[in-house]
């Protein structure tokens, strides 16, 4: 009696669930936020420039300043990227506040560029010195001091004050919309007033640029931005009426395109 061998049925390979538009938005925004932290090495790269007299009259290299400037340019562009990416989502909570967040990010990037230009101009000045350095030492030191002062003030306003303003704007939007766990924007909302007070104290001559109070005030805002970036990359937005409406609108648009 012949036996029939039946081939075992093969299951088709499982297909991955496509990433929703809001998940893609969260991923891109999170990556931009994490990129903004690549400028941390500039604290060491710009170290020699702080002693502007020795640096402008010295004969060492200036590669560290060029690398630092390049990193800060990337940070400025990534900062704008965070606002542009998040705007279509957070504007559904409050369009005016969301637009203010975009404007604040653009202003922050502009200040970063201004600071980088001041240091790159100093590098150009140093490159063109040659034998004239000794004869014009006093004037060169004064010029170098002015360039370094411009950078310090743009850093204070652009990379210290503006992140606090951004934390207030975006933090309030994310806190009310519940797109991320509320503990994340709470860190920013707590840290922002502390950081603003430190900047005001510096502007009024009460403290130096780098003090224990400034460091303490910076930590909550830095933790807020870093934790937000990690959360958006790993988890994305939490389910909410905003994300549901955006995904539904995208689905309707896709069906209309197919129908046409």
């Amino acid at each position: 009696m012949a036996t029939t061998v039946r081939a075992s049925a093969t299951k088709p390979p499982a297909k991955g669930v496509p990433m929703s538009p809001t998940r893609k938005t969260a991923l891109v925004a999170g990556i931009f936020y994490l990129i903004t932290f690549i400028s941390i090495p500039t604290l060491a790269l710009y170290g020699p420039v702080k002693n502007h007299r020795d640096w402008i009259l010295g004969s060492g290299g200036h590669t560290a300043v060029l690398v630092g400037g390049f990193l800060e340019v990337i940070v400025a562009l990534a900062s704008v990227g965070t606002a542009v990416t998040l705007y279509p989502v957070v504007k559904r909570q409050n369009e005016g506040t969301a637009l203010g967040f975009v404007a604040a990010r653009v202003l922050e990037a502009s200040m970063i560029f201004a600071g980088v230009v001041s240091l790159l101009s100093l590098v150009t000045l140093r490159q063109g010195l040659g034998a004239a350095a000794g004869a014009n030492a006093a004037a060169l030191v004064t010029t170098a001091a002015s360039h370094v002062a411009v950078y310090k003030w743009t850093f204070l306003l652009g990379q210290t004050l503006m992140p606090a303003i951004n934390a207030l704007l975006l933090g309030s939007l994310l806190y009310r919309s519940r797109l991320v766990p509320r503990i994340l924007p709470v860190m920013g909302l707590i840290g922002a007033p502390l950081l603003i007070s430190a900047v005001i104290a510096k502007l009024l001559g009460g403290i130096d640029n780098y003090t224990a109070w400034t460091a303490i005030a910076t930590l909550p805002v830095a933790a807020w931005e870093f934790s937000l970036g990690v959360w958006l990359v790993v988890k994305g937005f939490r389910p909410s009426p905003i994300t549901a409406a955006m995904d539904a609108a995208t689905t309707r648009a896709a069906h209309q395109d197919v129908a046409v």
Side-chain angles (χ1 to χ4, degrees):
M1 180 178 178
T3 59
T4 304
V5 178
R6 183 175 297 176
S8 60
T10 58
K11 296 182 179 180
K15 296 182 179 180
V17 178
M19 189 178 294
S20 68
T22 52
R23 182 66 185 96
K24 292 178 182 178
T25 299
L27 178 61
V28 173
I31 291 173
F32 276 135
Y33 261 109
L34 296 180
I35 289 176
T36 61
F37 283 85
I38 68 169
S39 65
I40 292 177
T42 58
L43 297 175
L45 293 173
Y46 292 158
V49 185
K50 294 178 182 178
N51 189 351
H52 49 272
R53 178 182 178 85
D54 293 341
W55 187 82
I56 193 67
L57 298 177
S59 58
H62 44 258
T63 303
V65 179
L66 297 177
V67 172
F70 177 71
L71 293 178
E72 288 201 90
V73 168
I74 295 176
V75 169
L77 297 176
S79 298
V80 176
T82 61
V84 172
T85 305
L86 289 175
Y87 176 73
V89 181
V90 295
K91 75 174 183 179
R92 292 172 177 264
Q93 178 63 39
N94 187 299
E95 188 169 3
T97 305
L99 189 59
F101 173 60
V102 174
R105 274 304 209 185
V106 172
L107 183 58
E108 177 184 351
S110 301
M111 292 181 182
I112 293 175
F113 271 100
V116 171
V117 168
S118 68
L119 291 186
L120 294 183
S121 299
L122 189 58
V123 170
T124 302
L125 177 65
R126 189 171 186 255
Q127 287 177 324
L129 286 179
N136 303 298
L140 291 171
V141 170
T142 301
T143 303
S146 66
H147 280 272
V148 173
V150 168
Y151 176 79
K152 287 182 177 180
W153 283 112
T154 55
F155 184 89
L156 180 71
L157 297 177
Q159 300 190 62
T160 308
L161 175 62
M162 294 312 299
I165 303 300
N166 295 329
L168 290 176
L169 294 170
L170 182 61
S172 63
L173 290 169
L174 294 181
Y175 183 86
R176 286 181 288 170
S177 63
R178 297 178 181 267
L179 288 168
V180 297
R182 280 187 160 181
I183 185 60
L184 301 184
V186 163
M187 286 192 293
L189 294 173
I190 291 176
L194 299 177
L195 196 52
I196 291 173
S197 67
V199 172
I200 293 175
K202 169 58 184 175
L203 291 173
L204 298 179
I207 61 174
D208 294 328
N209 270 351
Y210 305 102
T211 63
W213 173 247
T214 305
I216 293 172
T218 302
L219 285 177
V221 174
W224 136 254
E225 292 193 348
F226 183 77
S227 60
L228 177 62
V230 172
W231 180 272
L232 292 177
V233 168
V234 177
K235 296 289 188 178
F237 297 120
R238 300 176 75 177
S240 69
I242 291 178
T243 56
M246 291 186 66
D247 289 336
T250 303
T251 303
R252 286 195 301 268
H255 288 166
Q256 290 174 357
D257 292 339
V258 172
V260 173

